[in-house]
């Protein structure tokens, strides 16, 4: 997903499922999140929950200051688990303000990895992977492999991403 990973998180916000979406393009700190959640839960409307979506690559400034970060084998900075950090900080600060809260932290990567692939999924992945290798070996770039009507095909990136989606922190 890289630099444009905010698209999926922004979609969650636009769909009305999320109350707060944290994306790498907009810096934040723990105090801002605590104040937002506290204000949301104390509203007279009686909302008793808050859904926070965290996009891939989000790293708040104070977390970077206290983290012992290394690099992976390809030289990329290893990012800390912001979800657990946020859960612990929210729980501690909201409880210290007299709010009795419980926080459920769901990491979708564990949900995806914990389900074994069905035989149909395994066959489909094998076919798509094989076609991707054939396309790369033929010299094609910027393509994706898809299956349509029981046939695999190579589709140029421009056909499924007519434009790039970027989050602009400041309104135009």
């Amino acid at each position: 997903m890289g630099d444009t990973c905010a698209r999926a998180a922004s979609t969650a916000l636009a769909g009305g499922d999320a109350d707060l979406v944290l994306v790498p393009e907009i810096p934040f700190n723990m105090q801002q999140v605590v104040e937002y959640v506290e204000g949301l839960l104390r509203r007279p409307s009686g909302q008793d929950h808050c859904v926070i979506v965290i996009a891939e690559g989000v790293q708040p400034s104070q977390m970077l200051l206290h983290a012992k970060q290394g690099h992976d084998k390809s030289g990329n900075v290893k990012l800390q688990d912001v979800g657990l950090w946020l859960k612990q900080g929210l729980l501690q600060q909201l409880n210290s303000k007299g709010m009795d809260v419980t926080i459920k932290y769901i990491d979708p990567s564990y949900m995806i990895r914990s389900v074994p692939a069905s035989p149909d999924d395994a066959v489909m992945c094998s076919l798509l992977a094989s076609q991707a290798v054939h396309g790369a070996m033929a010299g094609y770039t910027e393509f994706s492999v898809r299956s349509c009507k029981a046939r695999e095909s190579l589709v140029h990136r421009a056909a499924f991403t007519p434009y790039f989606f970027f989050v602009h922190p400041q309104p135009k």
Side-chain angles (χ1 to χ4, degrees):
M1 292 174 137
D3 295 333
T4 58
C5 66
R7 181 177 194 151
S10 299
T11 303
L13 182 63
D17 297 325
D19 296 303
L20 176 62
V21 176
L22 303 174
V23 294
E25 293 86 354
I26 301 175
F28 72 95
N29 61 43
M30 177 66 77
Q31 191 58 37
Q32 291 171 313
V33 175
V34 169
E35 288 172 3
Y36 180 82
V37 171
E38 182 180 15
L40 185 70
L41 296 177
R42 292 190 191 269
R43 281 187 185 163
S45 63
Q47 183 168 345
D48 61 352
H49 67 278
C50 178
V51 176
I52 301 174
V53 175
I54 305 170
E56 178 184 8
V58 169
Q59 291 290 295
S61 55
Q62 70 259 56
M63 189 175 175
L64 293 173
L65 295 175
H66 304 301
K68 295 178 183 173
Q69 296 181 354
H71 292 78
D72 61 12
K73 292 181 182 179
S74 62
N76 297 321
V77 175
K78 288 183 182 178
L79 299 176
Q80 303 297 314
D81 188 349
V82 69
L84 290 175
W85 175 82
L86 191 62
K87 175 186 174 184
Q88 293 165 352
L90 274 171
L91 195 60
Q92 179 185 14
Q93 290 194 33
L94 291 174
N95 284 338
S96 71
K97 293 183 177 197
M99 297 180 72
D100 185 27
V101 295
T102 58
I103 299 177
K104 277 83 171 160
Y105 172 60
I106 301 170
D107 185 351
S109 63
Y110 291 117
M111 293 170 29
I112 293 168
R113 292 183 198 135
S114 66
V115 178
S118 69
D120 291 337
D121 289 341
V123 169
M124 176 61 72
C125 288
S126 178
L127 289 171
L128 293 176
S130 175
Q131 291 300 317
V133 169
H134 286 297
M137 296 301 283
Y140 295 121
T141 60
E142 296 187 8
F143 71 93
S144 181
V145 182
R146 65 173 293 220
S147 178
C148 181
K149 298 183 182 178
R151 296 194 58 168
E152 288 72 38
S153 58
L154 305 180
V155 181
H156 190 269
R157 178 188 55 82
F160 58 89
T161 55
Y163 61 91
F164 284 102
F165 178 85
F166 294 100
V167 172
H168 300 286
Q170 300 299 324
K172 292 183 177 183

